[in-house]
Amino acid sequence: MFEEILLIKFLNDIEMKILMVCLGNICRSPLAEGIMRSKLPEDFIVDSAGTIDMHQGSNPDKRSVKTAAKYGIDISKQLSRPITTEDLNQFDKIYCMDLSNLKNVISLAQNEDQRSKISLLMEAADLNHASGEVPDPYWDGIDGFEKVYHQLDEACEKIAEKLLISKAQNS
């Protein structure tokens, strides 16, 4: 009973739940999850998922872990998981890394409320990098991960700023 009361209190204290989505949930979205967590207070929940289950249960790519660690962010304990239809109910904001991810996540939406939660990360951040997408660094060397880290860091900074301003205005 006490645990249930604590869980209810915890869930009521949560400001917002954010989900970062890429293809396999081992490169971009784990980085985005770690970066966004570092920019928001604890009353924001940040998670990540992939549109495929190929890497389910795996830790992030070693190059993502190394790049994040270089900037003081530990993503080594994250585990890959596929996005589910329940995620579209549970999360307030769902940020996709590229157009293919966006299309796949939108195809899971069962209503307009769910669709309205889904957007491209770079568009939500009002950033116009090339195609508006975060490129998949999987086939690149460490330099590709470094570039993606900086792109994600800039986007997460902009989004976190917007979310914190909104929180302050609604308080």
Side-chain angles (χ1 to χ4, degrees), residues 85-86 88-89 105-115:
T85 53
E86 187 57 29
L88 278 66
N89 292 322
V105 175
I106 287 173
S107 75
L108 297 174
Q110 298 169 341
N111 56 53
E112 187 51 42
D113 182 52
Q114 290 179 344
R115 277 188 285 284

Side-chain angles (χ1 to χ4, degrees), residues 44-112:
F44 286 81
I45 300 296
V46 184
D47 195 5
S48 62
T51 57
I52 62 170
D53 63 3
M54 185 170 142
H55 303 286
Q56 185 169 354
S58 298
N59 294 106
D61 185 289
K62 288 178 169 68
R63 296 165 295 178
S64 283
V65 173
K66 182 177 180 178
T67 302
K70 179 178 174 181
Y71 297 96
I73 299 171
D74 182 9
I75 64 169
S76 64
K77 305 270 188 299
Q78 292 181 24
L79 296 176
S80 174
R81 70 174 187 87
I83 190 168
T84 66
T85 53
E86 187 57 29
D87 288 329
L88 278 66
N89 292 322
Q90 295 296 319
F91 288 88
D92 302 299
K93 301 280 186 186
I94 301 172
Y95 297 116
C96 300
M97 300 298 128
D98 63 35
L99 290 169
S100 177
N101 306 146
L102 182 71
K103 180 180 174 188
N104 289 329
V105 175
I106 287 173
S107 75
L108 297 174
Q110 298 169 341
N111 56 53
E112 187 51 42

Side-chain angles (χ1 to χ4, degrees), residues 18 35-42 44 46 160-161 163-164:
I18 299 165
I35 293 167
M36 187 64 86
R37 277 188 182 180
S38 76
K39 296 181 182 304
L40 292 171
E42 289 183 7
F44 286 81
V46 184
E161 187 177 297
L163 294 174
L164 291 171

Side-chain angles (χ1 to χ4, degrees), residues 120-150:
L120 272 178
L121 179 75
M122 300 309 288
E123 283 184 4
D126 296 323
L127 296 172
N128 295 321
H129 287 267
S131 64
E133 299 180 301
V134 178
D136 190 344
Y138 185 78
W139 301 107
D140 296 336
I142 195 74
D143 289 349
F145 285 80
E146 185 76 23
K147 288 176 188 169
V148 163
Y149 176 89
H150 290 291

